[in-house]
Structures are given as C-alpha cells and as structure tokens.
Amino acid sequence: MEEKSRIISEEKFKELYEAACSAAKNSYSPYSHFPVGVALLMEDGAIIKGANIENRSFGLTNCAERSAIFTAMSAGYRSFLALVIVTPVSDYPVGPCGACRQVLTEFAPGETPVWFGPKWENMVKTTLGELYPYDSLHELAT
C-alpha cells in the first residue's frame, strides 16, 4: 500500500484536470445538460478518462466516475492512484454520487486523493476515505 500513498505533484493533478475537461466534452447529457468528466491516474502513469452517459431512463445513466472505472478495469487495471472530477457547467464543486463512491472504494484505499470542481481555481481536494468513511474493505485486506 505504500506506493498508493505516494505524493502526487500539483502538475500531475493539473494534467488530470485537463484530461477530465477533455473527457467532459464527450459527455452524452441531452437530458440534464450537466456534463461530467473524470480522469483516473493509474499506477503505471496512464490516465484513463470517463464521461457521463445519460439515458432517457435516468436509472440506466452511467456516471463519469463509473465510466472511467469500468474502462480501466476492462483494460486490466485493478487499482488507481488519484481521481479528478470536472463539472464544467456547475456553479460550485459537485462530488461523486453515493453509487460512484462505493464503486471507487472497490479499487482504491481511503487515502487516495480525489479532487473535484468546475474550475481549477475552486477544486475541492479530499480523499476517498473522507468521501466514503467507514469502508472496511481495504482495511481488512491489509
């Protein structure tokens, strides 16, 4: 677990932010008009992006966070080091929903950094454990 807790530079977070902005442009959000983009930093340095994909039946909509996780897992990754979420049309930072928080904790420990917001200047900087406390999955495994 020591590798996961390594310090990630602000420059790397800026790169993730730019990747998440790019991903948000691929959002399919004709119903909510609320694009979301995500960038995951993988252990080998790769950046996996995801966007929200809506459906007229909102229950079938896939959030950007889960799109990114599912893409990464389908490519053979099993964990990630950091996550940036961009909501470019919101007036304030919007964090991941409960379903996404649960899925994210399946693949990263609580100390994993999560940054989210509409603009670089007002990103919230937190951790997965702060967003989803009392997740014992990784604590029990270590």
Side-chain angles (χ1 to χ4, degrees):
M1 285 295 173
E2 291 79 26
E3 288 182 49
K4 289 189 186 300
S5 63
R6 75 174 196 220
I7 302 299
I8 299 168
S9 70
E10 186 159 329
E11 292 80 26
K12 182 54 79 173
F13 275 105
K14 182 70 170 178
E15 183 180 352
L16 291 169
Y17 168 80
E18 294 297 336
C21 288
S22 171
K25 293 176 183 173
N26 292 325
S27 167
Y28 179 74
S29 47
Y31 306 104
S32 70
H33 307 288
F34 192 80
V36 180
V38 165
L40 295 172
L41 177 62
M42 311 316 289
E43 291 180 349
D44 65 359
I47 296 174
I48 304 291
K49 299 187 297 186
N52 57 321
I53 308 299
E54 293 182 351
N55 185 276
R56 63 183 160 266
S57 169
F58 260 28
L60 299 178
T61 291
N62 202 48
C63 297
E65 297 89 336
R66 286 181 282 144
S67 290
I69 285 287
F70 298 158
T71 298
M73 298 308 124
S74 294
Y77 293 102
R78 292 296 176 259
S79 63
F80 63 95
L81 298 176
L83 167 71
V84 172
I85 306 163
V86 174
T87 53
V89 300
S90 66
D91 295 329
Y92 53 88
V94 177
C97 73
C100 287
R101 292 174 194 211
Q102 183 159 344
V103 169
L104 292 167
T105 63
E106 185 77 18
F107 301 104
E111 68 268 12
T112 303
V114 178
W115 291 20
F116 61 90
K119 294 181 175 53
W120 177 251
E121 298 77 31
N122 66 348
M123 297 295 276
V124 170
K125 300 170 184 176
T126 188
T127 66
L128 196 50
E130 289 172 343
L131 289 172
Y132 196 78
Y134 309 113
D135 174 40
S136 60
L137 175 65
H138 288 284
E139 293 170 13
L140 293 174
T142 58

